[in-house]
Amino acid sequence: MDSVVDPLSTVARHTPITRRLVAAFGAMFLLGLLVAVAALFNIAQKLDEEDVRKTLFYTERALENRITASKNYIASYTYWTTAYEHLNGEVDVQWAYAEQNMGKTLFTKDGYEGVFVIDRERTKYAVVLGQNVQGDAASYIDTPLQPLVEKLQGQADLTRPVISYTLFNGWPAIVTASVILPNDERPRVDAKGTSVLLFVDQLTPTKLRKLGKSYGLTDLTLKRDTELAPDRPAVPLDSTGYSLVSHLQQPGHQLLWSLLPPLGGALLILALLTAYFFRYALRTARHVDASYDRLQLSTLALEASEERFRAVAEAASDWIWEIDGEQRITYLSGRFNTVTGFSDQQWLGQDIEQLLYCDTTPIVHWLGKLTEEQSTGNLRCSYRDYSGQLRFCRVSARPIYDKAAVVGYRGTASDITDEVAAHAQVQHLSLHDALTGLPNRNKLARYLDDALVAKEHSAPLTLLMVDLDNFKPINDSLGHPAGDAVLLEVAQRLRDSTREQDLVARLGGDEFVVVLNGMDSTTEIDRFCARLIDSLQQPIHYETHSLHIGASIGIAVSRRQGYIPGELIRCADIALYQAKSEGKKTWCYFASQMNDQIQHRRQLENDLRQAVKNREFVLHFQPRYTVDGSEIVAVEALVRWQHPTQGLLGPDAFIPLAEQTDLIVPLSHWVLREACETALTWPGELMVSVNLSPAQFQRSDVVEDVRKVLIETRFPASRLELEITENVMLNDVDGALQVMNDLKELGVRLNMDDFGTGYSSLGYLRTYPFDGIKIDKRFIASMSNSSNDRAVVQAIINLGKAMGLTVTAEGVETQAQLGSLGSDECHEVQGYFLSRPIDKQAFAQLLNSGRPLLKTAS
Ligand code: C2E
Ligand code: CA
Ligand code: CA
């Protein structure tokens, strides 16, 4: 019997221990529960704090990056010789606004609500919401501007932009300001005399929403400081009274809300189970022991899962990894599959370096340096996901200890692919031209810096500065969409013409740069330029138009012009200037004497600008006679410049320059008015001839200009003759026809000048409303050389007559020429042989002498 164990007595024997155990367990369980709940709240609070910290961090980052981008952007405008020249004195509004160098697109494309050029005293140029306005910047911007200008001008490094926050039209905005400087090698400019460019970037709700989105911020907005809760994370915008705030995600709150109900349920079940367990625990000691074992196990499991849970909670959207001492992956959380597309089974047991790659430091090396205290280091890694796409993650890690020894690491990987992409996007925008997508001035500068860093050991570079001919007229007459289409096509052709190692950049307007890497043999460059010019000459189709442009190229070669990027650009620019003045559609290598020529040209341009202001011009008059020399039929007005130091300059010295700048418009205006006013003083009904420049047709409303002068001087239109070369028709055939018909309607006469020097003149003659032609003096000069040349002149005379036109021969220098023209029955003659161009007084005398006859006849 003794051997029979009474179960009850066993229970009785074990009861005190079991009870104690059960009581202890109960207390422990309760305590554990309390600790777990406290830990949960603690985690939730930490998460919320982290969220606040991150939100604030990204809000600051977003603002900072916007400011940096704006600073970079403004620098590409302010550190630019062309801008300096057009903006520093009187602002050249035509250049800045009409030619879009600093006009509407700064608003429509770049989002600047305000663009201002100011100096210490005044606002010189203002574009508000894309419109050129006559206003004071201070009436839009509430920050005092004078201290800003003084601060900028007082900086040791004048090229550094400065930003400030302000209210613009009452709404917070970032003002980026920078001094406008030349980026060429000229003597230092006087800081106090410089102008300042302001870019105003209003922080509108739409812009902020977009900005926030790229930083993962929901609802990035502005709030008045007075409306802000004291603990609300916000980035203040200084004195504007506003701060940037973003919606808080409060992941801790979310966690509590999502965990507490199931946890409550689980606790209830646990409580029921415990009660159940209590009942049965008292029955058998074995059960108790077994339960005890199980309890131990489940407590352990709880501990482990709590630790994992903590890790999960710390980074809810990340995946978690663990590796052992040999860097073999031992654990990957469920998110791994969602984010990477791999199943964890594919990677468990593999070396972590197979999965993740860091380009700055080997992961193992980085892990080795981690200690418990500074376990928060992050490493940016990349990997290819299941679909082969490159992704980026920020890896954090902490060691796993067994006793004191590190037996592995555990950590999280947060996916930052979008963040990296957004950053790259910002980076891209600041380095590329928005219209064509080509690298911009900034990118070019970086590229050259890198390529030339090794000086004479770097590969030879050739820098081509490409400028389009005839782009502005297209932009002006067909509008900006047409201009944009041309620029896009040009960009494509440039890309197509270059190799992978070359760079094509757009500097703005119609200026492009091509850098040929590793090429500097003249034969190769010549071949390249010829091909490029040919490609750019092919017509560009836009809507129903077939547009013709050309290009001129200036070339600088690193092996000859040196390894300083700015210097190369400057040299290429000078060479371009030369190419243009050599008649466009050509290329030109930099040569050191060009420096002086350019200096001279620049000087001349400045002088000419002054001359137009000071009216330093005079007209000379050259009569045109009937072929028998018996009568003056008309007088041609020819302009001269009374240069303050160089004396009397002929039109060939300055008309081409005036045509390249806008000076041709006021100059021609003066000529026309002066000619009409002078002609009014002559006796009789003598006709006056005035030359028109093709450039005028593109840059001003010729018909309106002529009408105005006729009305204001009360000069009869029937006494005015306009001389136009056929170049006028080359650019815009239909437009020119319209203008000439309109001119005819005013009642003036039209003469085609320099007939025979252009091409397809005959076609033009038939279509256009000319009254006469002037045979170019080259034909007259060569007439006596060969019978063939004389035959050409005869043919032109006959042709003109057949079309009912008055035919004039110009450049008649000899009696023999006059004789031939007489027998060929040319109508009228003009030339040194009859009279040189003479000034106003001399011509008045000629008329008064009553001998308007041939020198020889007198
Ligand atoms: P153009 O219209 O063909 O003017 C005739 C030029 O031939 C004038 O030169 C005149 O002085 C020159 N000439 C006249 N008779 C003879 C001659 O027998 N032999 C030679 N070798 N030359 C002769 P100029 O005054 O130097 O003017 C040159 C060009 O400048 C003009 O060529 C015209 O295209 C342009 N020009 C002159 N005045 C004006 C103006 O007010 N406005 C514009 N847009 N162009 C002007
Ligand atoms: Ca003429
Ligand atoms: Ca002529």
Short mmCIF file of all heavy atoms in Angstrom, two decimals, residues 636-638 689-692 723-725 753-754 774 810 830, ligand 2:
data_model
loop_
_atom_site.label_atom_id
_atom_site.label_comp_id
_atom_site.label_asym_id
_atom_site.label_seq_id
_atom_site.Cartn_x
_atom_site.Cartn_y
_atom_site.Cartn_z
N GLU A 636 20.82 111.30 -101.85
CA GLU A 636 20.88 110.23 -100.86
C GLU A 636 21.52 110.76 -99.57
O GLU A 636 22.58 111.39 -99.61
CB GLU A 636 21.68 109.04 -101.39
CG GLU A 636 21.76 107.91 -100.38
CD GLU A 636 22.36 106.62 -100.96
OE1 GLU A 636 22.85 106.64 -102.10
OE2 GLU A 636 22.33 105.62 -100.24
N ALA A 637 20.86 110.51 -98.46
CA ALA A 637 21.40 110.92 -97.16
C ALA A 637 22.28 109.79 -96.64
O ALA A 637 21.85 108.66 -96.54
CB ALA A 637 20.26 111.18 -96.18
N LEU A 638 23.54 110.09 -96.32
CA LEU A 638 24.48 109.09 -95.82
C LEU A 638 25.02 109.54 -94.47
O LEU A 638 25.52 110.66 -94.34
CB LEU A 638 25.62 108.90 -96.83
CG LEU A 638 25.16 108.32 -98.18
CD1 LEU A 638 26.17 108.61 -99.27
CD2 LEU A 638 24.91 106.82 -98.07
N SER A 689 16.63 110.46 -100.40
CA SER A 689 16.70 109.00 -100.25
C SER A 689 17.32 108.66 -98.90
O SER A 689 18.37 109.18 -98.55
CB SER A 689 17.65 108.43 -101.30
OG SER A 689 16.95 108.06 -102.43
N VAL A 690 16.67 107.75 -98.17
CA VAL A 690 17.20 107.33 -96.87
C VAL A 690 17.38 105.81 -96.88
O VAL A 690 16.52 105.09 -97.37
CB VAL A 690 16.24 107.76 -95.73
CG1 VAL A 690 16.72 107.22 -94.39
CG2 VAL A 690 16.12 109.27 -95.69
N ASN A 691 18.54 105.37 -96.37
CA ASN A 691 18.80 103.93 -96.31
C ASN A 691 18.14 103.30 -95.08
O ASN A 691 18.22 103.83 -93.98
CB ASN A 691 20.31 103.68 -96.22
CG ASN A 691 21.01 104.09 -97.50
OD1 ASN A 691 20.92 103.40 -98.50
ND2 ASN A 691 21.67 105.24 -97.46
N LEU A 692 17.49 102.17 -95.29
CA LEU A 692 16.94 101.42 -94.16
C LEU A 692 17.80 100.17 -93.95
O LEU A 692 18.29 99.58 -94.92
CB LEU A 692 15.51 100.98 -94.42
CG LEU A 692 14.44 102.07 -94.48
CD1 LEU A 692 13.07 101.41 -94.55
CD2 LEU A 692 14.51 102.98 -93.28
N GLU A 723 15.69 103.28 -99.34
CA GLU A 723 16.54 102.30 -100.01
C GLU A 723 16.66 101.07 -99.13
O GLU A 723 17.05 101.16 -97.96
CB GLU A 723 17.92 102.91 -100.31
CG GLU A 723 17.80 104.11 -101.23
CD GLU A 723 19.14 104.54 -101.83
OE1 GLU A 723 20.16 103.92 -101.50
OE2 GLU A 723 19.12 105.51 -102.63
N ILE A 724 16.31 99.96 -99.71
CA ILE A 724 16.28 98.73 -98.93
C ILE A 724 17.08 97.66 -99.68
O ILE A 724 16.90 97.49 -100.89
CB ILE A 724 14.82 98.24 -98.77
CG1 ILE A 724 13.98 99.33 -98.11
CG2 ILE A 724 14.76 96.96 -97.95
CD1 ILE A 724 12.50 99.05 -98.15
N THR A 725 17.96 96.93 -98.99
CA THR A 725 18.69 95.85 -99.67
C THR A 725 17.85 94.59 -99.61
O THR A 725 16.96 94.46 -98.77
CB THR A 725 20.04 95.57 -99.00
OG1 THR A 725 19.79 95.09 -97.70
CG2 THR A 725 20.89 96.81 -98.94
N ASP A 753 18.32 98.59 -103.12
CA ASP A 753 19.72 99.01 -103.08
C ASP A 753 20.63 97.83 -103.36
O ASP A 753 20.24 96.68 -103.17
CB ASP A 753 20.00 99.57 -101.66
CG ASP A 753 21.12 100.59 -101.68
OD1 ASP A 753 21.77 100.75 -102.74
OD2 ASP A 753 21.34 101.23 -100.63
N ASP A 754 21.83 98.11 -103.79
CA ASP A 754 22.88 97.09 -104.00
C ASP A 754 22.38 95.92 -104.83
O ASP A 754 22.67 94.76 -104.54
CB ASP A 754 23.39 96.56 -102.64
CG ASP A 754 23.94 97.67 -101.77
OD1 ASP A 754 24.17 98.77 -102.31
OD2 ASP A 754 24.13 97.44 -100.57
N LYS A 774 18.94 99.99 -107.73
CA LYS A 774 20.25 100.62 -107.85
C LYS A 774 21.26 99.51 -108.11
O LYS A 774 21.45 98.63 -107.25
CB LYS A 774 20.60 101.37 -106.55
CG LYS A 774 19.67 102.55 -106.29
CD LYS A 774 20.07 103.30 -105.03
CE LYS A 774 21.12 104.37 -105.31
NZ LYS A 774 21.39 105.18 -104.09
N GLU A 810 25.13 103.06 -109.49
CA GLU A 810 25.84 103.81 -108.45
C GLU A 810 27.33 103.51 -108.52
O GLU A 810 27.75 102.53 -109.10
CB GLU A 810 25.26 103.54 -107.05
CG GLU A 810 25.27 102.10 -106.62
CD GLU A 810 24.77 101.93 -105.19
OE1 GLU A 810 24.13 102.84 -104.65
OE2 GLU A 810 25.03 100.86 -104.63
N GLN A 830 24.86 107.88 -110.13
CA GLN A 830 25.31 108.45 -108.86
C GLN A 830 26.75 108.00 -108.70
O GLN A 830 27.09 106.87 -109.03
CB GLN A 830 24.45 107.88 -107.73
CG GLN A 830 24.70 108.48 -106.37
CD GLN A 830 23.76 107.86 -105.32
OE1 GLN A 830 23.05 106.91 -105.60
NE2 GLN A 830 23.77 108.41 -104.13
CA CA B 2 21.96 103.42 -100.47
#
